[in-house]
Amino acid sequence: MFFLNGSILASWAPRIPQVKADLRLSDGQLGIALLGVALGSIPAMRVAGTVVDRFGSRIVTRVALPAYASAIALLAPADGMVPLTLALAALGAAVGALDVAMNTHAVDGERGAAHSGISSFHGLYSAGALAGALIGTAAAAAGVRPDTQFLVTAAVGLAASVPAAAVLRPSAHHVSRSRTRSVGRGTLGPRGRLPWLSLLGLSVLLIEGVITDWGTVYLADSVHAQPGVSGAGYVVFALAMTLGRLTGDRAAARFGPVRIVRFGALATGSAAAIAIAAPTPWVVVPAFAAVGLGIACSFPLVVGGVGRQFPDAPGPAVATVSTTGYLAFLAGPPLVGFLAGHVTLRLALLLLPVLALVAASLAGLLSADPAHPGGRHPDTTPAAPQADERA
């Protein structure tokens, strides 16, 4: 599920320039169309959180994945800015619902396990995104039309969703309607942690969004790297993110999520500061890899922590963190652009070490056990299997 989620949406990204040219869209019109993903996904995440707690994460995931795979086919007949925006809004709504449902189901599945798996799931998402980007790039290089690619992607995604959905286990939690409504209205649970956990997720996803959209530009314009070298900055960042997430569960089991997030954030902040101060791309590129490795596990561990700390209503809680984080992912790059327009891009990127410090300062929230206030996080206790069952 996670791999398909990453691969389907990422396969669209390399085709954006050709779609823009085919539809004769200006930069402003394309920006409006791309906003459709956010306009669809953000409200869908909120609704999905409530529906997941009402009907369970398995059934919502089973519905959302084929809907998501089908939605990319809507891009094929789009013949202008308005149809493209509506198609992207439908795609965003489906992926937003799937994000909440599959993350909730992943957290749900951890409850009976002796170890965490959420970071590895997100690692497969990153691997899927790399695969999708490569497929889209290869299709563009081979001269395949975007509409043909979108239709084939939808067909393959639908076919793959059948066996993936068939092996999902039943949802383990049952939530009373009164509890779901209280979380939805903003009752923030034990000690009001949810907004601070949301800020933690916002900080790390904002770093990811800024590097994704501005890392290559920074290398090209501020560090004067050649095109191949500037492109390598994002490639090593994405590879480091994937590697970090695939190994993050073992690291969290050994050292605990608080240490992983805290020291990872500090490493990210230090690497970002080095990249900002560096005069040469041969320093910036490995620094970007260190940034990716430092924050790789943070958001998955935040999602897992939220699911454990709100066991009676994980759907709305995960939806809150996901929505906040997704807003940051979308809003961060324009914010950097605004700051760069008033100072320089190099100075605007000072936002990155600041965000890393915020994440490091909030990492301790992941140790809170709502069943035993003030106790240690289950992952850091000696009796890991029993503690995980309590969580």
Side-chain angles (χ1 to χ4, degrees), residues 119-120 122-123 125-126 208 241-248 296-297 300:
S119 184
S120 297
H122 281 257
Y125 171 86
S126 297
E208 182 180 349
M241 289 277 292
T242 303
L243 177 64
R245 286 176 169 175
L246 290 175
T247 58
C297 305

Side-chain angles (χ1 to χ4, degrees), residues 367-380:
S367 68
D369 183 353
H372 304 281
R376 293 190 296 176
H377 189 281
D379 287 349
T380 63

